[in-house]
Amino acid sequence: MGDEGRSVTIQTTGEDSSYSADVFEMMCVLQGLGVSDSIVSRMDSTRALDGRQTGSWGVFDASWGYHPDDGMNLVVEEVE
């Protein structure tokens, strides 16, 4: 958690990292924030070559990147 509770950063497990959240834990947080299905679909199809991606829903902005070795790095910010 950061920004006095207005942001959250999640790092998921990759091939070279084991001390991270798994995808199920990340999805629990996202569902609690009311993430749209389209954003989940975009996250699910992100490849390392795609670079950092962004998306918005409701009062939240998100950015994420993925690499098979490191997993997904996700930052969600409340922007209201």
Side-chain angles (χ1 to χ4, degrees):
M1 296 295 293
D3 300 310
E4 298 178 3
R6 296 178 61 93
S7 69
V8 62
T9 302
I10 301 171
Q11 178 68 48
T12 66
T13 304
E15 292 178 16
D16 291 344
S17 63
S18 59
Y19 187 71
S20 301
D22 62 29
V23 173
F24 177 77
E25 293 166 323
M26 179 184 72
M27 285 307 303
C28 284
V29 171
L30 288 171
Q31 287 177 348
L33 297 175
V35 68
S36 66
D37 292 338
S38 64
I39 297 293
V40 171
S41 180
R42 289 172 52 200
M43 287 178 179
D44 197 35
S45 64
T46 300
R47 307 166 302 155
L49 296 173
D50 295 333
R52 196 124 186 110
Q53 302 292 301
T54 61
S56 299
W57 70 95
V59 298
F60 299 105
D61 284 347
S63 66
W64 65 90
Y66 173 78
H67 191 280
D69 294 341
D70 303 321
M72 181 173 285
N73 174 271
L74 168 68
V75 178
V76 179
E77 303 171 89
E78 185 177 18
V79 294
E80 184 177 65

